[in-house]
Structures are given as structure tokens and as C-alpha cells.
Amino acid sequence: MVSRGFFGLRRPQPSRPLPPGQYWEQGFPVLTAGVTPQISLKEWRFSITRDNDELKTWTWDEMLALPQSDITVDIHCVTKWSILDSRWRGVSIDTFLEASGLDVPEQFVMAYCYGGYTTNLPMADVRQGKAYVAWEFNGEPLEPRHGGPARLLVPHLYFWKSAKWVRGLRLIDKDAPGFWEQAGYHMRGDPWNEERYWGD
Amino acid sequence: MTVPQGVIWQQARVESIRRDTPTVKSFLLRPATWRAFRAGQHFDVRLTAPDGYQAQRSYSVASAPERTGVLELTIELMPGGEVSPYFHDVVVPGDAIELRGPIGGPFTWSTADGGPVLLLGGGSGVVPLMSMLRHRAMSNAGDRPGATLLYSARSLSDVIYREELEAMASADPGLNVITTLTRSAPSGWPGPARRIDLALVRQSIAATGSPRHVYCCGSDGFVESVAKLSVEAGVDASLIRTERFGPTGA
Ligand SMILES: Cc1cc2nc3c(=O)[nH]c(=O)nc-3n(C[C@H](O)[C@H](O)[C@H](O)COP(=O)(O)OP(=O)(O)OC[C@H]3O[C@@H](n4cnc5c(N)ncnc54)[C@H](O)[C@@H]3O)c2cc1C
């Protein structure tokens, strides 16, 4: 349907196409459902969990001792903004899983966070260099309101999957909806298929 | 989990347009298919140019869920913006607007959720809170949890829904509306004239009692600040829900 009298601003477009319905944002907006938690590096932990057992836990310093990656990626938020070429430093989920030495037959994970947020992901979307725990954004420590000290980074999915203040990954056999997914957001959230909401 | 029900694009007809403030207008839309919503939820609007170029934005519903058949969207003009100037300068009654919704889960409230409820709104962030208050006003007086709206606006002429809020509050001892003017206040203005601070949050909490639910809505900076103040005022962080309208705004 053409909107009468609408021509669009057509601001300078990025050199590569954005996923459908997204616009190019030069800042770094914030989207959070609640209060920003303040987590000290001393108390910070990241765990791989099965049922309620923390099978393997890293402190901040233990995480920094793992092989790190620098990644430059585009970020797509379900609220329509995209930021391009954002630079992150983190440790890949592959590295955590390998370092844990665990046998992992599960096909899904539930990321859980300081502050209570959760989001579900297929294992295939967090392996093979597709997901990280990241603590540096454009060369600076990640601010608390953007998920610092560290957030999950799963850049190929909508940004709500990149859980802020991440505290661990729970290994699960069957997919189950996390916080936004229970509220009507898509179970997978691929921006290129515009999987924003249930039924998309 | 309930069976996922997709939110599909549909057309809505613009029935009427009201000017609320120099920079805010409200649009009464009648969607082709009515879908019930909860106070606090939003709809996505999609505009399409003749060559297929599209722009999408989210807008909270301002009307009460009880007012079935129509949706009121209240839109603040963002100078240089793509979608809000279109609504302000181009849209007239009779136009068709493409939208889909309702969307959003955590930022919703109904009288069944109980209270007291503390609503903290900055600028157009008052919009979803207004839906909650209109919903509350439409329930039986005996079923209305206590509510306080602490509303920050730049000046008196920027206060959206001013008369309606005054009428609602004067008719209802369970509702307190505290408006604070951050940029300019008329001489003799009886209310506060400063940015929301700890004292104002404390005063709002004292007005209705320790809140069971807190909703903060406005620009990113506003929400960050008032959510933090609520925690400082002793509110458990798990009771606070936030909605940010984006990097710009009041
Ligand atoms: C859940 C949700 C609910 C919302 N509810 C409401 C509501 O009820 N009422 C309401 O008014 N708003 C609401 N918003 C905000 C709304 O979605 C829009 O963000 C807002 O209307 C601005 O859109 P726009 O297209 O007019 O401006 P945009 O085109 O998005 O621009 C916004 C501002 O940034 C500037 N800008 C953007 N890009 C550039 C650039 N490349 N160069 C220079 N300047 C730039 C523009 O000049 C403008 O001032 C809501 C947002 C969310 C996420």
C-alpha cells in the first residue's frame, strides 16, 4: 500500500543493504525492559549450566585468560535501528565450550543474566564463531547501560538475543521462550527474514 | 505457551486528528480488524513511498483498551525526522495508515495487576501511561488501585492531555498527578519546576504508598535517570519496567 504523500527522507544509505525494515543509526540506542544492574568485576561470573548445576564457571580474570577475538559486525535491533561496523572484543562461545571440556549434546541454550533477563538460542546460532561474550565496544569498556561489564553478542540475530549483563548459558534439550520471546517476539529472530514477532 | 498469533500488517483509517500541544498531535485510527490490546502496548506503523521505499516506527497506544474499534496514537514532532513530520504535516482524516500490533509484553498494566502503581513519564513518554490511566478510570471505582503519575514536561504548553489529566485527578482521590516543568514555568505555577529528582520520586511514592508496579517511559536518558532514582527511593528493581522511545526525545 502506498502512503499518500510519503516519499521518505532517504538519508545517506550505507554502502551495503540493511535487513528489511531497518534504518541506519549512527548512535548506539538503548533498549531494556528494566533497571540497569551494576555488577562489579569482582563478583562477575559466567557459567555453563545444565538444569541448575553450574558445570563450569569463569571469573572475570579467568575469562580474560581465554583466547580473545576482535570482531567488527553490524547490529540490528528489532526496534528498527541498525548500527554498522561496530567493533567488539570478546571470547567466543566455542572457546568457552571447548575450555569447559564438557560433552554437549543439547541443541539449544537459554542465556540468563544479572537482572533476570533470559533469551533462547539454537546451539547452531552460538557455535562456529557466531556468538561471543563481549566486554569492549568500539575500543571502550562496555557501559553498564549497554550490558556491561559483558554481554552476549550474537550479531547475526536481532539484538535482543545479545543478552546484556549475561551470567551464563543454560544447556537445554528443547527450545523454550525467553523473556521477550514469551511476550510475542520471534523464537529465532533472523533480521534478514524479518523474524520480529510470532508468526513472522 | 499460548499458540503464537502473528501480528499482521493491516490498514487503519484516520478518523480524526487533535492538536494536543505545539509539537504533539493525536490521531484516532480505526483498524480494519480490531485486535484487543493491553494498556502500555504499541503498534508498528509502516509508510510506503511510490517506488516501494518504506519506513517503520513504533507508536504506543494512548487510548484505553476498553475503547474498542479505535486506537489513539499520540505523536510528537521530531524536527528532521522521517515519520513524525509525515503524520504532522501530511496526514489528514480519511487517510489510510498501515500498521500492525499490538506488540510488547512486559510494559503493560491492568487494574487486575493491582497497585499502587507509580507512573513516571517524560515528554511523549506519557503516552502509554495515559492508556493505563484511561483504562484505570474506566474500571469500577472500587477496583481502582491507587496510582500516581509523575510527569515531566518542558513547559505548561507542552503538557499533553492536560485538561483530561486534571479532570481525572480531581474526580478521583486514588489518583495523584504531579507535573513538573523543566524548562519554563508560568509565574505562580504551584507545582515543581525542575527535572525529576529523588525528592520528587519520594513525594510521588508518599502520595500513593509504596508501589507494587513502576513504569518509566520517555527518552533513553529520562528512563535511565528515573529508574535509578526509583531504586534509590527504595523501590525493588524487579518492580520497575521501562520503555525507551529512542535516543532522541524529551
Ligand atoms: C516502543 C516504542 C514506542 C514509541 N511510542 C511513541 C509514542 O507514543 N509517541 C511518539 O511520539 N513517539 C514514540 N516512539 C518514538 C517513535 O517510534 C519514533 O522514534 C519517533 O516518532 C521519531 O521518528 P521519526 O521518523 O520522526 O524520526 P527519525 O527519522 O527516526 O529521526 C529521529 C531524530 O533523529 C534525527 N536523525 C535521524 N537520523 C538522522 C541522520 N542520519 N542525520 C541527522 N539527523 C538524524 C532526526 O532529525 C530526528 O530529530 C516510540 C518508540 C518506541 C521504540
Side-chain angles (χ1 to χ4, degrees):
Chain A
M1 182 202 109
V2 171
S3 311
R4 185 190 61 80
F6 178 73
F7 304 100
L9 278 188
R10 300 163 200 257
R11 296 199 175 99
Q13 287 299 304
S15 52
R16 50 184 178 281
L18 295 178
Q22 296 294 113
Y23 70 91
W24 188 21
E25 164 69 50
Q26 267 113 321
F28 187 5
V30 176
L31 185 88
T32 304
V35 177
T36 300
Q38 305 290 334
I39 308 124
S40 74
L41 298 185
K42 222 168 150 190
E43 60 179 322
W44 186 90
R45 296 288 184 280
F46 179 75
S47 302
I48 305 286
T49 303
R50 182 178 281 137
D51 301 321
N52 283 319
D53 297 332
E54 292 181 349
L55 304 176
K56 174 78 191 162
T57 298
W58 290 266
T59 64
W60 187 259
D61 289 339
E62 286 165 350
M63 173 175 72
L64 293 190
L66 294 172
Q68 303 180 7
S69 311
D70 284 318
I71 37 206
T72 300
V73 287
D74 300 344
I75 301 291
H76 310 293
C77 178
V78 71
T79 62
K80 322 268 161 36
W81 53 263
S82 293
I83 55 176
L84 299 186
D85 296 323
S86 61
R87 291 177 291 115
W88 300 81
R89 172 166 294 173
V91 168
S92 74
I93 300 302
D94 300 307
T95 302
F96 283 107
L97 289 173
E98 278 151 31
S100 75
L102 295 167
D103 182 25
V104 179
E106 286 89 349
Q107 291 303 306
F108 296 91
V109 297
M110 183 69 81
Y112 60 97
C113 302
Y114 293 94
Y117 181 80
T118 55
T119 189
N120 55 304
L121 293 141
M123 188 64 82
D125 279 318
V126 299
R127 302 295 310 253
Q128 257 121 48
K130 287 185 172 157
Y132 303 81
V133 173
W135 62 85
E136 231 181 75
F137 171 73
N138 285 349
E140 303 286 339
L142 190 62
E143 286 176 56
R145 53 200 219 104
H146 288 303
R151 73 184 296 163
L152 199 63
L153 177 66
V154 195
H156 69 292
L157 299 179
Y158 280 126
F159 208 35
W160 88 79
K161 295 286 185 182
S162 294
K164 295 179 187 179
W165 315 296
V166 68
R167 193 155 70 94
L169 295 182
R170 192 181 313 281
L171 307 170
I172 52 178
D173 294 320
K174 269 201 292 203
D175 201 9
F179 181 84
W180 287 111
E181 293 83 4
Q182 286 172 36
Y185 287 76
H186 198 275
M187 289 293 270
R188 175 140 187 274
D190 177 355
W192 295 96
N193 284 330
E194 210 173 355
E195 294 170 348
R196 297 180 197 274
Y197 314 119
W198 293 347
D200 272 354
Chain B
M1 198 176 114
T2 48
V3 176
Q5 193 187 6
V7 278
I8 48 168
W9 292 105
Q10 59 159 318
Q11 285 188 32
R13 187 72 46 196
V14 179
E15 288 209 332
S16 59
I17 302 174
R18 185 184 70 231
R19 171 165 292 288
D20 294 297
T21 78
T23 57
V24 174
K25 284 183 176 181
S26 290
F27 301 81
L28 196 66
L29 305 180
R30 185 172 292 276
T33 307
W34 172 250
R35 295 194 56 198
F37 68 94
R38 279 169 57 83
Q41 286 188 301
H42 67 269
F43 278 67
D44 281 356
V45 165
R46 177 167 79 180
L47 303 180
T48 306
D51 65 354
Y53 171 89
Q54 293 186 324
Q56 292 185 25
R57 297 290 186 274
S58 303
Y59 293 100
S60 307
V61 185
S63 44
E66 287 77 7
R67 200 171 166 199
T68 54
V70 287
L71 301 168
E72 185 184 87
L73 304 186
T74 298
I75 300 181
E76 181 181 8
L77 176 67
M78 291 281 170
E82 184 162 44
V83 172
S84 61
Y86 173 80
F87 272 90
H88 275 253
D89 303 339
V90 180
V91 171
V92 294
D95 277 344
I97 300 289
E98 208 171 10
L99 50 72
R100 67 170 181 170
I103 298 156
F107 200 83
T108 57
W109 180 78
S110 82
T111 51
D113 297 325
V117 59
L118 174 62
L119 309 177
L120 304 166
S124 54
V126 73
V127 173
L129 311 180
M130 191 61 182
S131 178
M132 296 176 188
L133 290 180
R134 285 168 165 166
H135 154 73
R136 181 182 168 281
M138 288 179 91
S139 63
N140 292 328
D143 300 337
R144 284 181 210 155
T148 294
L149 170 67
L150 176 55
Y151 176 14
S152 166
R154 284 176 299 237
S155 72
L156 197 56
S157 59
D158 290 310
V159 176
I160 314 172
Y161 319 121
R162 188 171 140 214
E163 283 170 13
E164 188 179 343
L165 281 170
E166 277 170 7
M168 237 185 222
S170 62
D172 183 347
L175 173 65
N176 296 282
V177 176
I178 303 173
T179 304
T180 184
L181 304 178
T182 57
R183 231 170 258 178
S184 66
S187 62
W189 167 248
R194 59 183 195 272
R195 282 173 180 277
I196 293 180
D197 56 14
L198 189 56
L200 276 176
V201 173
R202 289 221 167 101
Q203 183 190 335
S204 308
I205 291 174
T208 11
S210 192
R212 184 140 150 226
H213 304 285
V214 179
Y215 295 85
C216 312
C217 186
S219 68
D220 176 35
F222 175 86
V223 168
E224 194 67 22
S225 151
V226 297
K228 208 176 270 171
L229 290 171
S230 305
V231 173
E232 280 171 45
V235 176
D236 190 310
S238 67
L239 307 179
I240 303 173
R241 287 153 196 237
T242 59
E243 183 100 289
R244 297 163 200 251
F245 278 5
T248 53

